[in-house]
Amino acid sequence: MDFTIGVILAFAVAYISYRVRFLSSSGAIATFLLASVISGLGGIKWSVPILTFFILSSILSKLRKRRNAAVEFFFEKSGVRDHFQVLANGGLGGVLIILYSIQQCELYYLIYLASLSAVCADTWATEIGTWKKNNTYNILNLQTIEQGSSGGISIIGSMGALAGSITITLSGIVWIEISYIQYVILILSAGLLGSFFDSILGATVQEQYKCSVCKKVTEKQIHCGIQADHFKGYSWINNDMVNFFSGLSGALIIIILKNITRF
């Protein structure tokens, strides 16, 4: 019965998200399958955090696009999420809930929240950080760069990352089995460090192109209507891979801290 309810909820979320253009058709299918597994096996405990991330992040993305559409020229993908984006942000959660269903270990839930905290912090850093024009800096050398460029950070964006991490922390706090203080420190740390790790990857190894028409460096292969020239980074490390590594880094931070603190 619980699994059936989870599947029904997954279908409702995927269908509504497709209708309001949060998701493409492939994104809706991926969301249905992923949400069916997470909701069906994990119930409300596992469903609330990922739904909180997905719904609020999608709304922020839509609102930001209306306020500052100019930065869209830098992003490989934005707005309507496809299946690659869904799996990059939530695929690890699907693996973790399967492991949790086999072995009821609360560490899996903390790892799950840590990974979501990282991807939410990264997503909100972008959406809130580019809500309006502000100074943006390269995370490696703090030199001023164009807003929306890969590897960029800003004060407002960092505040957005903190807000995203806090949101995920609160979404799972009802079900945690360690002290609140310890829990908050762990999940907030995983979120913020994961977000900064994402920016470091963006500034170093993420694939980027340079448009021969407008001379801008962008994540898009096609820019100003023509094929852009490869500028730097590895071809297999696109924005989706960077997001996946961001979530994975949040998960690894929890595992490392567990071995250090023995919580």
Side-chain angles (χ1 to χ4, degrees):
M1 180 61 69
D2 290 341
F3 191 84
T4 300
I5 294 173
V7 171
I8 294 173
L9 175 63
F11 177 79
V13 170
Y15 178 75
I16 294 172
S17 298
Y18 173 73
R19 295 293 297 179
V20 298
R21 301 298 292 162
F22 285 167
L23 296 170
S24 66
S25 56
S26 67
I29 293 172
T31 295
F32 169 67
L33 295 175
L34 181 63
S36 294
V37 173
I38 293 177
S39 297
L41 296 178
I44 190 172
K45 174 179 178 178
W46 286 68
S47 300
V48 169
I50 197 165
L51 286 177
T52 299
F53 160 69
F54 171 69
I55 294 173
L56 295 182
S57 297
S58 297
I59 293 173
L60 273 177
S61 180
K62 291 292 186 182
L63 294 176
R64 191 271 309 156
K65 191 172 183 179
R66 294 178 181 177
R67 291 289 300 271
N68 188 9
V71 296
E72 298 294 315
F73 290 102
F74 293 94
F75 301 150
E76 177 187 4
K77 300 175 182 178
S78 61
V80 182
R81 290 175 167 81
D82 61 18
H83 59 295
F84 288 117
Q85 290 169 290
V86 171
L87 294 177
N89 290 321
L92 183 59
V95 174
L96 289 168
I97 185 56
I98 292 173
L99 294 175
Y100 182 81
S101 66
I102 297 172
Q103 180 184 13
Q104 300 290 310
C105 176
E106 284 305 306
L107 177 60
Y108 291 133
Y109 187 62
L110 286 177
I111 295 173
Y112 170 65
L113 291 172
S115 68
L116 283 180
S117 180
V119 296
C120 190
D122 172 56
T123 300
W124 288 30
T126 298
E127 302 301 348
I128 295 176
T130 58
W131 184 267
K132 62 180 181 179
K133 294 187 180 299
N134 61 82
N135 293 331
T136 304
Y137 308 93
N138 185 295
I139 191 172
L140 299 179
N141 54 31
L142 298 182
Q143 292 183 351
T144 303
I145 58 176
E146 289 196 75
Q147 188 182 43
S149 299
S150 298
I153 59 172
S154 67
I155 295 176
I156 296 177
S158 297
M159 293 173 63
L162 178 61
S165 187
I166 289 174
T167 299
I168 295 301
T169 300
L170 294 176
S171 74
I173 199 169
V174 175
W175 297 281
I176 58 108
E177 297 182 1
I178 59 176
S179 72
Y180 288 144
I181 294 177
Q182 191 176 38
Y183 166 75
V184 169
I185 292 174
L186 287 173
I187 304 303
L188 283 183
S189 298
L192 292 176
L193 291 175
S195 174
F196 287 129
F197 181 64
D198 181 284
S199 296
I200 292 173
L201 292 179
T204 55
V205 297
Q206 183 177 350
E207 181 181 33
Q208 296 183 48
Y209 297 86
K210 188 170 185 177
C211 179
S212 58
V213 176
C214 67
K215 307 302 180 184
K216 292 184 181 295
V217 177
T218 173
E219 298 174 1
K220 296 179 181 290
Q221 295 187 33
I222 304 298
H223 202 268
C224 293
I226 64 172
Q227 176 69 46
D229 300 321
H230 182 267
F231 181 68
K232 69 174 184 177
Y234 298 95
S235 59
W236 61 278
I237 305 183
N238 60 8
N239 185 256
D240 293 330
M241 286 300 299
V242 169
N243 288 340
F244 172 75
F245 286 135
S246 175
L248 184 61
S249 69
L252 292 176
I253 289 169
I254 289 294
I255 296 174
I256 293 171
L257 290 177
K258 176 186 181 299
N259 292 326
I260 294 174
T261 62
R262 302 294 180 183
F263 64 83

